[in-house]
Amino acid sequence: VNQMANLTLVSSACDMVSTAYASTKESHPHIRSVCDAAEKGVKSVTEATASCVQPVLTTLEPHVAAASEYASKGLDKLGEKLPLLQKPVDQIISDTKELVSSRVADVKDAVSS
């Protein structure tokens, strides 16, 4: 999970979502009260679940470690094959806009000639 969260694409997307969420809560008092209630509910459920799940996690720890290692190797291979994962969202959007604009210009030139 940490390795996935550290991918530039994922971390920048999380930052964007977090900023939008905070901005929305700040701008809209009614939404803020709903979000605050939802956050409290999630926190309570998480705390209650953590104590119940801990014995199971302790038992499954060797299996979780093996799965984690396997997932880590898979993410390494994915990162090699998709360099896009190492770019922030705003750069990907910018690059995509440039590519689309270039292609549209090429089509206009082809049509006009």
Side-chain angles (χ1 to χ4, degrees):
V1 172
N2 288 335
Q3 187 176 358
M4 178 72 105
N6 287 331
L7 291 171
T8 305
L9 176 63
V10 174
S11 65
S12 69
C14 289
D15 290 344
M16 289 178 75
V17 169
S18 178
T19 300
Y21 178 75
S23 174
T24 300
K25 277 180 63 175
E26 188 175 309
S27 301
H28 304 284
H30 298 305
I31 292 176
R32 180 183 323 136
S33 61
V34 171
C35 290
D36 288 344
E39 289 170 17
K40 287 178 186 173
V42 168
K43 184 178 178 183
S44 297
V45 168
T46 301
E47 289 170 353
T49 304
S51 61
C52 296
V53 172
Q54 190 56 48
V56 175
L57 289 177
T58 302
T59 304
L60 295 175
E61 190 171 347
H63 304 293
V64 171
S68 179
E69 184 178 337
Y70 182 73
S72 179
K73 289 177 184 176
L75 280 173
D76 287 343
K77 287 183 182 180
L78 192 61
E80 291 170 10
K81 294 184 186 270
L82 294 173
L84 182 75
L85 295 173
Q86 301 305 326
K87 293 183 179 181
V89 172
D90 53 353
Q91 183 181 355
I92 294 170
I93 291 170
S94 175
D95 291 351
T96 302
K97 285 180 181 178
E98 285 181 33
L99 179 63
V100 170
S101 295
S102 172
R103 298 293 183 227
V104 168
D106 290 347
V107 169
K108 282 183 181 179
D109 290 345
V111 169
S112 65
S113 64

